[in-house]
Amino acid sequence: MTDGRITTAKLGDDGPEVGVQGLGCMGMNFGYGPSDADASRATLERALELGVTLYDTADAYGAGENERFLSPFFKAHRDELVIATKFALSIPPDDPTRRVIRNDPPYIRQAVEASLKRLDVDVIDLYYMHRRDVNVPIEESVGVMAELVREGKVKHLGLSEVTAGELHAAHAVHPIAAVQSEWSLFSRDIETNVVPAARELGVTLVAYSPLGRGFLTGSFASAEDLSSGDFRRQQPRFTGDNAAANGALLEPIRAIAETHGASVGQIALAWAHQQSSVHGLPVIPIPGTRKPSRVEENTAATRIVLTDDELALLDPIAAKVAGNRYADMAFTSAGRE
């Protein structure tokens, strides 16, 4: 089926062409409460039919279970898609609820072998450093990642939640194809330094949580609406007075959505896609979903073009958002800029 297929964009100067919208796969079986495996598999297949070819996972999602879940789909369509996974969030044996950031070379080598085994593939298309350990020189970490490329275990390198300075230092060691950071109508801190650096270096910006972890779709109003196993219950923006204040910020998005005959989420995604032309670099949002109908809705947003007046109406929203995107912003680029 080809109707409704999305256009493509390139990962970095030398990377592959991928669908201009990717798919965040974390929620398929982790992080967002109970899931339906059959619906998740159907979502993966429908996304591919619509031209989504960049599939994003990480070894930390369900302690490797997300990679295992995705493996049969990846194997069935190996030549049609790009596999992106990540390392850096190590799970201490004595406390499976914790995550410890590790960027040291021995750990990176251990992590890539484990991901290759769980994914059951010979090579990872795009391998990200998930989070930055400031105690390890980034040149050292990227140096061993570059060795993985030369050894044929990885094709292209990515970084997640790094500062502009860290991106420059890493790129000097080996070309970086993509930088992944949270970017949405609610989260725009990367526009100050990271986005200009990515543009200068020819690095694609992969925007995770472009729907504000679902809040920008209006699907929930506060953390109290979420299941007990949903990690969003711990995020400051979705709790207490913050949730109520942020809910009011959706009103201009709703007004624009009505004008376009679109959903609120589609306008949020259209805004994310349009940042490519606003900032002059490739931008690939990777909204996550577990429903085929939502993939259809999300990819349709790539065909919505917002006017300058609409962009201006949306522009003030981020500055009014109550609460940080994480309880501990040290794990983000904004916390270190």
Side-chain angles (χ1 to χ4, degrees):
M1 184 171 183
T2 58
D3 290 350
R5 284 182 66 88
I6 59 177
T7 58
T8 63
K10 200 170 184 181
L11 286 174
D13 287 337
D14 301 314
E17 289 278 339
V18 296
V20 75
Q21 188 176 115
L23 183 64
C25 298
M26 181 182 81
M28 294 288 176
N29 65 345
F30 172 73
Y32 287 91
S35 61
D36 182 323
D38 289 338
S40 292
R41 293 187 190 98
T43 301
L44 293 167
E45 295 286 352
R46 184 64 180 130
L48 189 60
E49 288 175 348
L50 291 168
V52 175
T53 54
L54 177 63
Y55 292 80
D56 186 271
T57 181
D59 61 1
Y61 300 161
E65 287 305 312
N66 197 248
E67 290 179 324
R68 291 190 183 94
F69 175 80
L70 294 166
S71 176
F73 170 73
F74 288 162
K75 288 183 67 178
H77 301 283
R78 189 65 188 96
D79 296 334
E80 304 171 68
L81 51 77
V82 171
I83 299 171
T85 192
K86 315 178 194 74
F87 74 89
L89 297 179
S90 173
I91 304 172
D94 59 340
D95 187 355
T97 65
R98 288 181 60 219
R99 298 291 186 272
V100 176
I101 300 176
R102 290 189 61 181
N103 291 173
D104 56 285
Y107 179 75
I108 295 171
R109 287 197 165 276
Q110 172 188 328
V112 74
E113 294 297 343
S115 284
L116 286 167
K117 183 176 181 180
R118 285 189 294 265
L119 293 165
D120 195 16
V121 295
D122 296 326
V123 61
I124 294 165
D125 300 311
L126 178 60
Y127 199 43
Y128 285 104
M129 177 191 294
H130 202 164
R131 289 295 185 271
R132 172 87 174 97
D133 179 359
V134 296
N135 297 308
V136 180
I138 197 164
E139 295 87 349
E140 186 176 324
S141 302
V142 176
V144 74
M145 293 170 71
E147 291 176 4
L148 300 179
V149 175
R150 290 191 289 272
E151 293 165 10
K153 295 176 181 179
V154 170
K155 290 184 180 179
H156 305 282
L157 303 185
L159 304 171
S160 180
E161 290 289 358
V162 293
T163 67
E166 291 163 349
L167 175 56
H168 274 281
H171 198 76
V173 175
H174 187 279
I176 302 300
V179 164
Q180 185 174 140
S181 289
E182 186 167 352
W183 199 6
S184 73
L185 281 168
F186 270 24
S187 300
R188 298 180 59 181
D189 50 74
I190 65 168
E191 292 175 25
T192 303
N193 297 307
V194 178
V195 170
R199 180 177 62 241
E200 175 188 345
L201 297 171
V203 177
T204 296
L205 205 302
V206 175
Y208 77 81
S209 296
L211 292 172
R213 303 190 185 280
F215 195 84
L216 286 166
T217 69
S219 61
F220 71 99
S222 78
E224 295 178 358
D225 299 335
L226 304 170
S227 66
S228 59
D230 196 309
F231 86 106
R232 292 173 292 180
R233 291 177 66 92
Q234 317 304 322
Q235 294 191 298
R237 290 182 174 173
F238 310 137
T239 58
D241 292 341
N242 287 349
N246 293 335
L249 298 177
L250 300 183
E251 289 311 310
I253 312 175
R254 289 194 176 98
I256 294 171
E258 186 173 348
T259 299
H260 285 268
S263 69
V264 177
Q266 284 179 315
I267 298 304
L269 278 175
W271 178 90
H273 280 287
Q274 216 150 323
Q275 298 315 294
S276 177
S277 58
V278 170
H279 292 277
L281 80 168
V283 176
I284 301 176
I286 52 169
T289 184
R290 309 184 280 210
K291 297 179 179 178
S293 61
R294 290 298 187 193
V295 167
E296 293 166 1
E297 178 182 329
N298 291 347
T299 54
T302 65
R303 296 183 286 278
I304 297 173
V305 179
L306 304 176
T307 68
D308 289 344
D309 287 345
E310 288 169 338
L311 290 173
L313 189 63
L314 297 172
D315 194 61
I317 291 175
K320 299 176 183 178
V321 172
N324 285 327
R325 51 193 178 97
Y326 289 101
D328 184 357
M329 288 292 286
F331 289 94
T332 72
S333 62
R336 299 192 306 279
E337 287 282 12

